[in-house]
Amino acid sequence: MSGPPTPPPAPDQARRAALRLLLVSPDLALAQRLRAQRAALGLELLHAADAAAAETLLLQPGRVELLLIDEAIGRVALLALVLQLREDLYKDWLPLLVLGGSAELLQLLQRKASGMVDYFIAKPFAPQALRERLIAVRRLVSLRRVCKSALDRVSEGVIIIDERGTLRSFNSAAERLFGWSAEDVIGQNVSLLMPPRHGHKHGRYIADYLRTGRARMVGIGRMETAQRRDGSQFPMQLTVADISDDTAVRFVGVVRDLSAELERLELQQLALHDALTGLPNRSQAEQRLRAEIERAGASGAPGFALLFVDLDRFKQVNDSLGHAVGDQLLCAIAQRLRHALSADDFVARLAGDEFLLLLPGVQQQGDAQRIAERVGRALRQPLLLGGQRLAVTASIGVALYGSDGRTAEALMGRSDAAMYAQKRRLLP
């Protein structure tokens, strides 16, 4: 496994650093001439006598920033190196100069590698010609250094793929997120970063998009599951953009790890919900009640009703059938309360066998009582729990915003008192 990535240079250092030029040529005299002028030309010179030696250097991450190939290595070997550079080593960004330019070479490159060579320098070699080309290339290399340095400092993973799903670029954040080094994954299929059940679909998405223009992922942010090198998985926010031009098809994906965010949301969910029934708990009920009071207090806003529900003789169920059956009963009651009310109504479990119902827009005592009676009928329907047929009743107290109070304490107190009054009236 490759070691951790080397920290990128600071942008100002990147602008001043010498260009790392790789000369591929069997001509030792040419290499010596360039080496003698490297300071004047602002170069750090690397030399490979043939394509095989050049490949070794090109495989080293960040080692080469500019490639100069001498036609003297042979036209066939030169073509093979150009194709390997662009198609197998995925060096899209590497400026490529060819020293030479015979008619035969130009025709060969036009047929087999059109657009893959950036500049030609005629032979015999003249330092001034190279210097002029370097002026043009240096700005591009410097900009790339700065862009790479910036990309390696962002917290999101930035990944570039081609139309086959082949990984072409992988920034430092992506290395940290997925546990792979860039040199390990460049040239691999992007499905490497996905669970097997998802990875095989990706190629179909790309092919369908290129054929029809219909976007299922491109331009659409979505949550997906990613897979690290060790096989562990994590939720990610993935945003994909089409950055293709007339030279190549490319897609950039920006990846953000959602693990911490989802854990935080889960903790918030636990803090505001009852663990047994999944209903909002007392804390959330109090928040909702105060928000509803504030809303209802606005000029012209409708009021609401508060229903306090307490199961009758719940302790007897726990004592006779056990706490497991009691828990099942509470979950069943929670489900029935949800179904008995509209989507706009609010249901919470306060504690034990106590529940709170908040009914926005209900302002008349008669309307609130009719809803309370409907809830009571729903709860009285027999249940089969623990092999026992149970019929449960509940005492329900009603309070109206305005006539029974305008504060949370007053409304809770009034509905609680009304519930106990009903319990005393109906139970022996």
Side-chain angles (χ1 to χ4, degrees):
M1 179 178 176
S2 303
T6 302
D12 58 340
Q13 294 174 327
R15 294 188 190 98
R16 294 194 302 266
L19 286 177
R20 295 187 291 276
L21 181 145
L22 171 59
L23 170 67
V24 186
S25 173
D27 188 342
L28 295 180
L30 173 61
Q32 289 172 356
R33 286 180 62 193
L34 278 177
R35 187 168 286 113
Q37 299 178 49
R38 65 184 185 275
L41 294 172
L43 298 176
E44 176 186 332
L45 183 66
L46 304 169
H47 178 226
D50 54 33
E55 180 183 353
T56 300
L57 292 169
L58 289 167
L59 285 172
Q60 299 176 25
R63 187 73 187 279
V64 178
E65 295 178 307
L66 174 62
L67 184 61
L68 176 61
I69 309 176
D70 187 355
E71 186 179 356
I73 68 170
R75 290 192 292 272
V76 174
L78 189 150
L79 173 64
L81 182 56
V82 169
L83 293 174
Q84 183 183 31
L85 179 79
R86 300 305 194 202
E87 297 180 353
D88 296 332
L89 299 180
Y90 309 104
K91 304 290 187 182
D92 295 333
W93 50 266
L94 186 67
L96 172 55
L97 285 67
V98 168
L99 186 58
S102 65
E104 294 84 355
L105 176 62
L106 293 176
Q107 291 173 5
L108 179 64
L109 291 174
Q110 181 64 34
R111 291 199 316 271
K112 301 290 187 180
S114 179
M116 293 187 182
V117 175
D118 297 300
Y119 297 108
F120 290 89
I121 300 176
K123 296 182 75 171
F125 164 66
Q128 182 58 31
L130 178 59
R131 184 176 290 107
E132 291 174 357
R133 294 306 185 197
L134 289 179
I135 291 172
V137 169
R138 184 180 298 279
R139 186 173 63 89
L140 296 177
V141 172
S142 179
L143 287 173
R144 183 186 179 276
R145 287 173 176 173
V146 174
C147 289
K148 184 178 185 307
S149 179
L151 278 178
D152 284 337
R153 283 167 168 76
V154 299
S155 58
E156 292 85 3
V158 181
I159 299 166
I160 296 177
I161 64 171
D162 61 21
E163 70 276 17
R164 296 170 297 180
T166 303
L167 288 157
R168 315 283 302 206
S169 180
F170 204 72
N171 76 337
S172 293
E175 291 181 316
R176 294 191 297 271
L177 286 173
F178 291 95
W180 293 97
S181 70
E183 60 186 291
D184 287 328
V185 298
I186 298 299
Q188 303 289 329
N189 193 274
V190 70
S191 61
L192 179 74
L193 310 178
M194 307 173 190
R197 67 183 183 278
H198 295 157
H200 72 280
K201 300 177 183 177
H202 193 268
R204 294 205 306 269
Y205 292 160
I206 294 178
D208 183 63
Y209 171 75
L210 293 175
R211 186 178 65 256
T212 67
R214 183 171 62 249
R216 297 188 62 177
M217 295 186 69
V218 177
I220 304 172
R222 56 193 288 172
M223 191 171 81
E224 295 285 348
T225 301
Q227 181 164 297
R228 301 184 182 91
R229 181 171 188 159
D230 62 8
S232 62
Q233 298 177 7
F234 65 94
M236 66 174 174
Q237 175 72 24
L238 175 63
T239 305
V240 179
D242 184 349
I243 57 171
S244 306
D245 57 22
D246 57 359
T247 64
V249 175
R250 295 289 184 269
F251 301 95
V252 61
V254 179
V255 176
R256 183 164 63 92
D257 187 353
L258 295 178
S259 300
E261 185 174 333
L262 293 181
E263 287 175 7
R264 184 168 59 253
L265 291 174
E266 184 177 353
L267 289 174
Q268 291 175 353
Q269 174 81 0
L270 292 173
L272 295 175
H273 286 77
D274 174 51
L276 177 63
T277 64
L279 290 176
N281 60 12
R282 177 182 287 274
S283 177
Q284 187 176 169
E286 291 174 349
Q287 291 179 24
R288 177 63 183 269
L289 177 56
R290 295 183 191 283
E292 197 66 22
I293 289 171
E294 183 177 349
R295 185 199 60 77
S299 176
F304 61 91
L306 199 66
L307 274 59
F308 198 116
V309 180
D310 185 271
L311 302 184
D312 299 328
R313 300 188 180 92
F314 177 71
K315 185 176 184 300
Q316 294 179 14
V317 175
N318 266 344
D319 292 344
S320 61
L321 300 179
H323 288 281
V325 173
D327 287 348
Q328 293 176 39
L329 174 60
L330 291 172
C331 291
I333 293 299
Q335 190 74 5
R336 287 188 173 184
L337 289 172
R338 286 195 190 101
H339 291 162
L341 300 176
S342 72
D344 293 331
D345 298 330
F346 177 80
V347 185
R349 182 188 177 202
L350 298 180
D353 59 349
E354 296 177 344
F355 298 85
L356 189 72
L357 314 183
L358 194 154
L359 314 176
V362 177
Q363 304 179 80
Q364 301 299 322
Q365 183 73 25
D367 294 336
Q369 288 294 346
R370 280 190 289 274
I371 294 173
E373 291 168 5
R374 186 176 75 226
V375 169
R377 287 194 300 272
L379 297 184
R380 285 194 298 272
Q381 295 299 314
L383 288 163
L384 185 63
L385 297 173
Q388 299 284 333
R389 187 179 176 85
L390 301 177
V392 179
T393 62
S395 298
I396 305 175
V398 175
L400 294 178
Y401 174 80
S403 59
D404 291 318
R406 295 178 180 273
T407 66
E409 293 76 13
L411 291 168
M412 289 288 289
R414 182 68 184 87
S415 61
D416 183 52
M419 179 273 295
Y420 275 110
Q422 185 186 60
K423 194 179 288 286
R424 287 193 299 271
R425 188 168 61 250
L426 298 179
L427 295 181

